[in-house]
Amino acid sequence: MNDVPRQEPHAQLDAKRTYLRLLTYLRPHRGIFALGMLGGIVFSISMVSFVPFAQLFGDSAFTHRDPRMIAFVPLALIGLFVLRGVGDFTETYCMGYVGRRIVTKLRTQIVDRVLRLPIGYFDRNSSAVLLSRLTYNTEQVGQATTDSGGSAHP
C-alpha cells in the first residue's frame, strides 16, 4: 500500500552517523548559530504578531474610538517592522556566516587531502570530479548544515 520504500536499519544508522559527523563542523560556530536561531524566532514572532495587532487596532480605533490609539498604532507598527527587519537580518547574516565558514573548512580539508594523494589517483579520476567535490559538494553540505529546508520569508 505504501509506495515509499523503507530504508534498511543500517542505512538509517549510517545516515544518522554521517549527519552527526557533519554537525561537528557546526560546533565551533554554535554561538553565532544560536544568535541566528534567535533572529529567526524574533522574525517569526513579529510576523505572527501582525494578526493580533490588526485586531487590537480595529477594536480600539473603530469600535471603541480610543484617541490614544492614533499615536500608539503608528509607533507600534514601526516598532514591529523594525523588529521584523532586525530578526530577518540577524538570521540571514548569522546563518550565511556559519555556512560560509563550514564550506571554507570543508574545502580546506579536501585540498589538503588531494595534495597528499598519489599520482595514480589523478590518472584514474578526472579533474571535473575533483572540482565537483571541491565546489558543489562542499557547498551542499554547508547549506544542509545551516538551512532549515526552505525559506520562511515571502
Side-chain angles (χ1 to χ4, degrees):
M1 291 289 205
N2 193 354
D3 292 339
V4 178
R6 287 183 47 100
Q7 284 187 339
E8 297 296 323
H10 69 277
Q12 290 175 346
L13 186 60
D14 288 344
K16 183 178 179 181
R17 246 188 251 139
T18 301
Y19 189 70
L20 290 175
R21 185 174 60 87
L22 291 174
L23 283 178
T24 61
Y25 289 97
L26 183 63
R27 189 170 292 135
H29 310 287
R30 62 181 167 247
I32 296 173
F33 183 77
L35 184 62
M37 294 286 286
L38 180 64
I41 291 169
V42 167
F43 176 80
S44 299
I45 289 171
S46 67
M47 289 297 290
V48 171
S49 63
F50 277 111
V51 173
F53 177 76
Q55 184 178 10
L56 174 69
F57 172 69
D59 289 347
S60 31
F62 298 117
T63 307
H64 303 306
R65 304 259 181 190
D66 187 357
R68 294 176 297 178
M69 290 305 288
I70 293 172
F72 173 72
V73 169
L75 293 176
L77 192 59
I78 289 170
L80 202 54
F81 274 105
V82 166
L83 196 62
R84 177 180 178 234
V86 167
D88 186 31
F89 174 79
T90 303
E91 176 189 21
T92 303
Y93 180 81
C94 291
M95 294 303 179
Y97 178 85
V98 170
R100 294 291 102 218
R101 295 297 158 258
I102 290 171
V103 168
T104 301
K105 176 83 172 178
L106 286 170
R107 287 181 178 161
T108 302
Q109 288 178 344
I110 289 173
V111 167
D112 288 345
R113 177 72 185 244
V114 167
L115 291 176
R116 290 184 178 84
L117 291 172
I119 298 295
Y121 179 82
F122 298 100
D123 291 337
R124 291 187 306 273
N125 294 289
S126 70
S127 59
V129 170
L130 294 174
L131 274 174
S132 173
R133 288 184 184 147
L134 185 61
T135 56
Y136 180 75
N137 294 355
T138 55
E139 187 69 31
Q140 294 300 308
V141 171
Q143 285 182 355
T145 308
T146 58
D147 285 355
S148 61
S151 178
H153 309 184

